[in-house]
Amino acid sequence: MGFRRDALSSPWHGVSLGGWLLLEPGPSYPLFAHHPAQDGEEARCEWDLMKQLRQKLGKKRSVEVLKVHRDTHITKADFERIRACGLNAVRLPFGYWVVTEPRANEPYIGSALEYVDRAVDWAEECGLQIVLDLHGCPGSESSEAPCGRRQRPASRWNWRHWDMARTLQILDMLAKRYSSRRCVTGIAVCNEPSGSVPCASLLRYYSQAVDRIRKAGMPASRVAVVLPVFQRPEGEVAFMKKWWSMTRGRHRNVCFDAHCYHCFENEFNGKSLAQQLRAVEENAKFLREYPVVVGEWSLALGVATWCTAGEMGEDEIISIFGAQQLGALQEASHGSFFWTWKECPENKEWNFQQAFSTGLLSRLPRQLPDWDGKGEDPLEEELHPSPSEPRVFYGDTVYLRVFHGRYVDVEGAKVCARWADKAKFQSLTFCPSDSASASPFVRREVRHRDIVRLRAHNGRYISVEGTSVTASRSCRSTAGEFQVCLEGEQTLVHRGIAYLRSRSTSMSLDADEDQEGVYARFKDLGLWQAFSVEKDVEGSRVLHHSGAVVLCGIPDLASNDALEQFEQAMCLFLFSLLFVTDALFAVALGTMPFLGTSHYRVRGFLQLRPEHKPTPSLSRTRLIEIAIVLFQLRISKAMVIEVQLCTSVASI
């Protein structure tokens, strides 16, 4: 007997009324901002906000403040606007204390069933369906803010604190009260229960809840019962199959509530825009197969998305993502609800009204190219074009993106992975470990099993000390050498995945999202150790159009005194250019100075090339321009600029 997929004749295409009858920062804007704690910080949940209000204003005034919010945050005019947007349903989240009085010693204010009555009346008058969503249960179904109380550490809450028996009584009260209302076409038995709730206990509670709702007068022919399947440790599909195995199809018109967010946890923070769209494609396959409502979705994206979308602007990225989601959501048997109707104005990805009015939800879905999962997804190139030369060469400026979407950055001697943008302090350069053996005029690709050094923007080299990773001034020992390990490729390319194994400890570099650091703790080549290597696309365009760049190995200068002497010689040489009339020369540089910074190192050598024929004389003005170009080029230790005054420099 197969899995039954009941579906609504008119699936919900609606929006959640978050922040009205269960308070949350953002959706309840501006209530939280207007009533901060004594230290100026906003509360994180309704429990904390109500405690702060009582301490600051007293119980009577707190009740008045909350009443004003409940009277004004959502009105009939909102229901009329929702209908005018072409939506056919609303999802109404509320805490159990809205249905009945809160338990002893809880700061919630209730009951307030008259507001649920109003919502049902307005839905009926405006031709909307309504789903009653018991968003916060007695004792809480998790330790997180959406259930009303955020508890930290999370271990303060135990799944046994959730009073399931009392929750069933409240569901019974709701079902009896609204059983005759035709606009009520769904009821959710809880919201986002913790994954620590044992599977068998949650399944048993769900089955009992369906029975209570049906017996209270809400038939399967008219009302769907919504069962959350949120972050289950066994997986959504496995949980649903266990439900089917336990109930054997006894319950009809039940649907599982999946929340399709693409901005939380490391998985989605680490996805490129192309990977985000493929995830939406996978969602569509899931929705086609199982009885599901997407109870919450938004336009918010993980941090890696914004640097992996080529030249596209923010609104274009959001609208492309929104269009793909809307297309996928059409597959849901019971429809979907955007989170949320009202939100802080700065958060347009969560604010349906703003997204709708600015056209972020008006684009048609994109036809994604076929891909069998092997090699690089062609969608990556489509959305984030590679530089004209996708291969990574020694001397190229690159950025290393870690699994949680941030890029490796270097600040002094500190090596971290803190931000998801590509700034100068996040730029790195691959340098050959044995620079003396490299041919001075042959560009070398970075290849699988190469031994490399990584030079940061400040001239320091990534080094390993025990399990710590730092940026060192010296790179002469194996502490600063790494073996490059590539996934299924021999040559490193733009967006290629590389692993970097320390030669001194045999440990692979890894990222830690909690500490925002980079370490060398394990020999594994897994998710934590993977680096997406991205070339500096803008810099690559300049250099490859110059026709004057070749790679070479430059021996290190052994001491600070030698470096200072070389800097002086370099400056004298550039000065001397002002008086040269006939010359053809090559300049092999290590680190060109960064204009506007207080510290830099110049490493390398200069070499005149007298064997070439003399070139026509150049004006002093042109030579000054050449000197400026040389200083402005940000070239790494392993790069050579071969400059032919009459031709090459003119094209840089």
Side-chain angles (χ1 to χ4, degrees), residues 272-576:
S272 65
L273 177 57
Q275 290 170 329
Q276 295 281 14
L277 300 190
R278 291 299 188 190
V280 174
E281 191 174 52
E282 289 302 308
N283 288 345
K285 296 176 184 177
F286 167 72
L287 296 176
R288 276 193 290 270
E289 191 168 352
Y290 300 100
V292 172
V293 57
V294 179
E296 295 180 14
W297 67 282
S298 78
L299 297 175
L301 285 156
V303 297
T305 305
W306 309 104
C307 281
T308 57
E311 302 297 322
M312 286 187 275
E314 181 179 84
D315 283 358
E316 184 179 3
I317 293 170
I318 292 173
S319 65
I320 288 173
F321 175 58
Q324 297 306 120
Q325 287 200 95
L326 286 170
L329 294 172
Q330 297 296 320
E331 305 290 348
S333 63
H334 286 66
S336 63
F337 293 92
F338 188 94
W339 183 271
T340 181
W341 175 246
K342 286 192 172 181
E343 172 61 77
C344 180
E346 290 79 26
N347 299 335
K348 60 186 175 184
E349 299 99 322
W350 300 91
N351 188 321
F352 182 89
Q353 295 181 80
Q354 190 172 352
F356 183 83
S357 64
T358 56
L360 296 179
L361 296 170
S362 61
R363 185 187 290 262
L364 294 175
R366 189 187 193 100
Q367 181 65 44
L368 304 187
D370 293 334
W371 181 49
D372 61 4
K374 299 177 182 178
E376 184 180 66
D377 184 350
L379 185 59
E380 292 282 2
E381 185 65 25
E382 190 176 296
L383 297 173
H384 186 203
S386 298
S388 57
E389 173 53 85
R391 293 174 296 173
V392 176
F393 289 84
Y394 287 101
D396 286 347
T397 296
V398 297
Y399 303 89
L400 303 184
R401 175 160 53 89
V402 303
F403 75 98
H404 56 77
R406 280 77 175 179
Y407 290 87
V408 173
D409 66 85
V410 176
E411 181 181 6
K414 189 176 181 181
V415 181
C416 301
R418 296 173 287 184
W419 295 285
D421 43 7
K422 298 178 186 176
K424 185 171 74 174
F425 68 95
Q426 292 158 305
S427 61
L428 297 162
T429 304
F430 282 102
C431 305
S433 63
D434 186 10
S435 55
S437 65
S439 171
F441 299 109
V442 178
R443 298 193 72 195
R444 288 180 55 200
E445 306 162 338
V446 179
R447 296 181 62 80
H448 180 53
R449 299 190 182 280
D450 275 4
I451 305 301
V452 303
R453 293 175 177 142
L454 281 169
R455 191 185 62 79
H457 69 100
N458 58 4
R460 292 175 177 262
Y461 291 84
I462 307 299
S463 300
V464 172
E465 299 177 9
T467 61
S468 299
V469 177
T470 61
S472 173
R473 291 184 183 278
S474 172
C475 66
R476 300 190 66 81
S477 72
T478 57
E481 295 182 346
F482 301 91
Q483 184 183 58
V484 177
C485 301
L486 303 181
E487 279 191 343
E489 302 290 342
Q490 291 300 310
T491 301
L492 182 59
V493 296
H494 178 62
R495 290 191 299 265
I497 299 298
Y499 303 92
L500 299 168
R501 178 168 284 159
S502 170
R503 289 197 74 200
S504 64
T505 68
S506 297
M507 300 297 174
S508 301
L509 295 190
D510 68 87
D512 187 307
E513 73 278 14
D514 294 326
Q515 302 297 323
E516 297 184 323
V518 177
Y519 301 91
R521 301 174 292 187
F522 311 102
K523 291 185 177 181
D524 309 59
L525 300 180
L527 177 65
W528 293 359
Q529 291 81 25
F531 294 90
S532 176
V533 181
E534 299 175 10
K535 294 184 68 172
D536 180 2
V537 177
E538 290 300 321
S540 297
R541 287 173 183 162
V542 173
L543 293 175
H544 287 294
H545 287 153
S546 72
V549 179
V550 293
L551 285 176
C552 117
I554 310 268
D556 289 326
L557 296 175
S559 68
N560 286 338
D561 288 342
L563 288 171
E564 291 171 4
Q565 291 173 13
F566 182 79
E567 285 185 10
Q568 294 173 8
M570 180 66 189
C571 291
L572 288 173
F573 178 80
L574 289 174
F575 240 150
S576 72

Side-chain angles (χ1 to χ4, degrees), residues 120-363:
V120 172
D121 289 342
W122 293 336
E124 197 168 72
E125 293 166 11
C126 295
L128 293 168
Q129 300 180 68
I130 186 168
V131 173
L132 304 178
D133 173 27
L134 184 56
H135 217 71
C137 299
S140 302
E141 59 265 54
S142 79
S143 62
E144 303 302 325
C147 70
R149 184 183 184 187
R150 181 178 184 267
Q151 301 187 59
R152 290 295 182 274
S155 58
R156 289 177 57 189
W157 178 89
N158 183 280
W159 75 270
R160 295 184 185 278
H161 294 165
W162 179 9
D163 189 342
M164 293 183 177
R166 181 58 178 153
T167 305
L168 290 171
Q169 292 173 1
I170 290 169
L171 290 171
D172 185 74
M173 293 169 59
L174 286 167
K176 287 177 178 176
R177 187 179 184 94
Y178 301 107
S179 61
S180 64
R181 305 301 295 269
R182 307 294 295 182
C183 64
V184 178
T185 57
I187 183 168
V189 303
C190 62
N191 176 69
E192 297 183 352
S194 170
S196 67
V197 180
C199 181
S201 298
L202 191 59
L203 289 171
R204 185 166 53 251
Y205 165 72
Y206 282 177
S207 185
Q208 291 170 347
V210 177
D211 284 336
R212 292 289 286 266
I213 290 167
R214 298 302 185 216
K215 289 178 182 178
M218 288 188 165
S221 60
R222 185 168 54 82
V223 180
V225 180
V226 179
L227 311 176
V229 58
F230 178 76
Q231 295 185 346
R232 290 302 308 170
E234 63 273 4
E236 296 170 338
V237 172
F239 182 84
M240 289 188 285
K241 288 182 177 179
K242 287 177 182 292
W243 164 264
W244 175 254
S245 177
M246 184 186 83
T247 63
R248 306 306 300 171
R250 183 169 65 86
H251 299 301
R252 300 299 305 271
N253 197 13
V254 296
C255 63
F256 295 92
D257 182 8
H259 293 179
C260 293
Y261 287 131
H262 291 244
C263 57
F264 298 124
E265 311 300 337
N266 295 323
E267 178 187 0
F268 285 103
N269 274 318
K271 288 186 184 295
S272 65
L273 177 57
Q275 290 170 329
Q276 295 281 14
L277 300 190
R278 291 299 188 190
V280 174
E281 191 174 52
E282 289 302 308
N283 288 345
K285 296 176 184 177
F286 167 72
L287 296 176
R288 276 193 290 270
E289 191 168 352
Y290 300 100
V292 172
V293 57
V294 179
E296 295 180 14
W297 67 282
S298 78
L299 297 175
L301 285 156
V303 297
T305 305
W306 309 104
C307 281
T308 57
E311 302 297 322
M312 286 187 275
E314 181 179 84
D315 283 358
E316 184 179 3
I317 293 170
I318 292 173
S319 65
I320 288 173
F321 175 58
Q324 297 306 120
Q325 287 200 95
L326 286 170
L329 294 172
Q330 297 296 320
E331 305 290 348
S333 63
H334 286 66
S336 63
F337 293 92
F338 188 94
W339 183 271
T340 181
W341 175 246
K342 286 192 172 181
E343 172 61 77
C344 180
E346 290 79 26
N347 299 335
K348 60 186 175 184
E349 299 99 322
W350 300 91
N351 188 321
F352 182 89
Q353 295 181 80
Q354 190 172 352
F356 183 83
S357 64
T358 56
L360 296 179
L361 296 170
S362 61
R363 185 187 290 262

Side-chain angles (χ1 to χ4, degrees), residues 612-651:
H612 288 275
K613 295 180 181 179
T615 60
S617 298
L618 296 175
S619 68
R620 182 172 300 185
T621 300
R622 182 63 181 135
L623 289 169
I624 291 173
E625 292 174 354
I626 294 168
I628 291 172
V629 167
L630 289 174
F631 269 108
Q632 287 179 331
L633 282 170
R634 293 184 291 177
I635 307 302
S636 71
K637 168 181 173 293
M639 191 70 93
V640 168
I641 306 298
E642 183 178 10
V643 183
Q644 184 173 333
L645 294 183
C646 60
T647 58
S648 299
V649 172
S651 66

